[in-house]
Every structure is written in structure tokens, then in C-alpha cells.
């Protein structure tokens, strides 16, 4: 039996920042941001840490899966914005959930983190090492954004998403995956000495447009599927132009691609999971749909999954 996602949850903080709010402090405009990125709004955590966001999404996912916290054998948290160097966010979640003794680790793969964590969990589920695994993608990017840099400040938001993985019925679950990285591209997206996100937007854009499409096609081929088999695409919500390039590579109509970037901005490791929750709630993802998840991030990293949805 394959490993699959059996429960999902998400959480975003209360404070919303619209594009027009940036017009007051930066040389930018709502039209400029919207036309170049697709972003209209994002949420910022003021009195919450990364672990707080992660915990609230995790509780939702556990309830949605219909299990209890003590059934979780491993916690994997994908983040680049830990509360502190250690203990990791995964260990803090374990304590707050009241789980004693289960494995807990953080994974640092930036915006590809949710896919990395899910692919890792798949191996442990299918080897019968654990029955249920909690995977969380979470970021508090507001603490590493340079709010005086108009090229990056408008892009990012805070949030968390969580998934419970377990065994699913025959034919369903994760059918294939791809993980990759190109360390030579790390110079294009990194934290500077002031601990602020620094990005060569042109180079990251070129990399992402190429890699998102290639990875999506690769996981379909690995699963023995074709573009015609895809029911829905959930790309990392970084830039609408990059997302559209991946959709066009799969020759999908607009209604078959998840789009939440306008509401949340780029929430890095949280974005794919947040989109899945929204699409499940709206009925855009249904049982037995073939769904492709694809993302890229700092490192430079990338990852993709093909799965047949349902328990």
C-alpha cells in the first residue's frame, strides 16, 4: 500500500498587509506588485513565533485525519525560520502536542520544504517504520524580510500548513516524487549578514520557470502518467508568471491550477499545503484526482510529487 495524505490543516496569523499599505512606505504601487507577482495581500505574525503557527496547523491536520496525537510516530517540520537554532520547531510541537518519545526533526529546504518532508515521510510509512507521520511546512518570513527593500518586502507572508501521512487504499497516495538541488545557485537567494532575504530576481525567475515545468513532467513520467492524466496542479505560490509557466508546460486550463498567491503571498514551505487545504474546502481537489505538487526554493532546491488523492 502507498503512503498518502489523510489529513490537512493550515493557519495564518491575523494581521493582513495589503499592497496599498506598502505605497505609504516604499516606492511601489498596488498595480506594480499585482501585475508582476499576482500578490494582493499577505499575513504577518506579530505576537506569534514559528512554532505557534506550526502547532495550530498541526492540530487541525490531526483532527482532520481522525487520529490522536499519540498515534504519530514522527514529526517533520520544513522551515528556514526556526524560533531559535535549537530546540527545533519539531521538538517544540512534540512537547505542545503532549507526545512522548516520537521522532522529531526540522528540514531546511526553503520553499521546497513541504515536498521534501512529504517525500521523506513516504519512505518511513511504506517501510512500516511508522503508522502516521506529521509533516509541517511553516515560515515566519516577516522576521527575515528587509522591509526597506521594495523588491523583496512585498513578496512574502507568514503561515503554516500541516499534513498527516499514513497508508491509503490501493492505487491511491503518492505515486512518484523528485527531489533536487543546485548548490551553485545558492548565491542567487540567501540571507545576507544582516539576516535579510537577498535575491537575484532575474536568475531565480529563470531557474524556477525551467525547473518547475521539468520536475512536473518528470514525476508524471516516473508514475507512468501523461499530461492528459493530470486533474490538478498545485505549484509553490511564489510568482504568478512562474506558476503559469508550469501550468502551460502541462497544457492545463487555468481552472486546473491552484492559485492562492493573491491572498497569502509567498509563504515558502507553507504555501503548497495552504493551497491544498483551500482547494479541498472549495471542492477543487476530489478523491481519485491525479494531483501534481511542484516547488522550488533557496539552495537552490526543487521538488515535485504526483499523487492520487484520497484515503
Amino acid at each position: 500500500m502507498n503512503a498518502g495524505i489523510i489529513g490537512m490543516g493550515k493557519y495564518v496569523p491575523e494581521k493582513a498587509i495589503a499592497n496599498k499599505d506598502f505605497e505609504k512606505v516604499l516606492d511601489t504601487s498596488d498595480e506594480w506588485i499585482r501585475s508582476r507577482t499576482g500578490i494582493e495581500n499577505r499575513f504577518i505574525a506579530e505576537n506569534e513565533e514559528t512554532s505557534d503557527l506550526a502547532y495550530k496547523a498541526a492540530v487541525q491536520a490531526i483532527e482532520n485525519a481522525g487520529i490522536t496525537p499519540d498515534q504519530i510516530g514522527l514529526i517533520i517540520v520544513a522551515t528556514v525560520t526556526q524560533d531559535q537554532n535549537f530546540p527545533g520547531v519539531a521538538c517544540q510541537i512534540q512537547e505542545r502536542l503532549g507526545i512522548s518519545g516520537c521522532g522529531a526533526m526540522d528540514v531546511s529546504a526553503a520553499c521546497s520544504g513541504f515536498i521534501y518532508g512529504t517525500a521523506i515521510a513516504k519512505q518511513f510509512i511504506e517501510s512500516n517504520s511508522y503508522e502516521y507521520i506529521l509533516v509541517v511546512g511553516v515560515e515566519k518570513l516577516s522576521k527575515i524580510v528587509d522591509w526597506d527593500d521594495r523588491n523583496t518586502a512585498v513578496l512574502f507572508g507568514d503561515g503554516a500548513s500541516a499534513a498527516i501521512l499514513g497508508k491509503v487504499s490501493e492505487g491511491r497516495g503518492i505515486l512518484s516524487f523528485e527531489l533536487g538541488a543546485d548548490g551553485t545557485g545558492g548565491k542567487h537567494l540567501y540571507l545576507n549578514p544582516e539576516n535579510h532575504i537577498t535575491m537575484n530576481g532575474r536568475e531565480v525567475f529563470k531557474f524556477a520557470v525551467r525547473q518547475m515545468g521539468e520536475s512536473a513532467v518528470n514525476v508524471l513520467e516516473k508514475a507512468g502518467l501523461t499530461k492528459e492524466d493530470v486533474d490538478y496542479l498545485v505549484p509553490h505560490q511564489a510568482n504568478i508568471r512562474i506558476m503559469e509557466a508550469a501550468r502551460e508546460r502541462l497544457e492545463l486550463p487555468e481552472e486546473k491550477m491552484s492559485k492562492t498567491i493573491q491572498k497569502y503571498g509567498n509563504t515558502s514551505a507553507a504555501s503548497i499545503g495552504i493551497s491544498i487545504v483551500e482547494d479541498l474546502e472549495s471542492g477543487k481537489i476530489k478523491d481519485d484526482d491525479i494531483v501534481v505538487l511542484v516547488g522550488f526554493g533557496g539552495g537552490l532546491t526543487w521538488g515535485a510529487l504526483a499523487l492520487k488523492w484520497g484515503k
Side-chain angles (χ1 to χ4, degrees), residues 218-269:
N218 289 345
V219 291
L220 289 174
E221 291 177 350
K222 288 181 180 181
L225 300 170
T226 66
K227 298 174 184 177
E228 290 73 27
D229 294 314
V230 179
D231 294 299
Y232 205 65
L233 170 67
V234 185
H236 165 48
Q237 308 285 306
N239 179 294
I240 191 62
R241 296 177 181 179
I242 296 170
M243 294 158 56
E244 288 290 352
R247 178 183 68 79
E248 291 169 4
R249 181 69 180 271
L250 293 181
E251 299 174 7
L252 291 172
E254 289 185 21
E255 63 269 19
K256 287 194 172 186
M257 182 185 77
S258 180
K259 191 176 93 169
T260 61
I261 188 171
Q262 71 280 8
K263 295 174 64 175
Y264 303 108
N266 181 348
T267 56
S268 187

Side-chain angles (χ1 to χ4, degrees), residues 144-208:
I144 58 172
V145 166
D146 181 354
W147 293 104
D148 295 322
D149 178 10
R150 74 167 191 159
N151 294 311
T152 57
V154 301
L155 301 178
F156 300 102
D158 300 337
S161 60
I164 299 294
L165 273 80
K167 288 185 178 178
V168 294
S169 59
E170 186 175 356
R172 290 176 170 175
I174 300 168
L175 307 177
S176 64
F177 70 89
E178 173 178 283
L179 303 178
D182 178 7
T184 65
K187 60 189 177 185
H188 299 311
L189 181 55
Y190 62 97
L191 284 185
N192 65 23
E194 287 74 43
N195 205 43
H196 288 149
I197 297 172
T198 304
M199 181 170 65
N200 182 330
R202 186 181 299 274
E203 291 301 320
V204 172
F205 183 89
K206 290 193 296 184
F207 161 78

Side-chain angles (χ1 to χ4, degrees), residues 99-155:
I99 308 170
S100 176
C102 80
M105 62 177 175
D106 289 3
V107 173
S108 180
C111 307
S112 308
F114 183 82
I115 291 176
Y116 266 69
T118 302
I120 293 168
K122 168 182 165 68
Q123 315 308 310
F124 284 118
I125 296 291
E126 294 181 359
S127 66
N128 293 315
S129 299
Y130 301 107
E131 184 176 10
Y132 299 109
I133 296 177
L134 168 64
V135 176
V136 179
V138 59
E139 302 291 4
K140 186 179 176 180
L141 295 169
S142 58
K143 68 181 179 181
I144 58 172
V145 166
D146 181 354
W147 293 104
D148 295 322
D149 178 10
R150 74 167 191 159
N151 294 311
T152 57
V154 301
L155 301 178

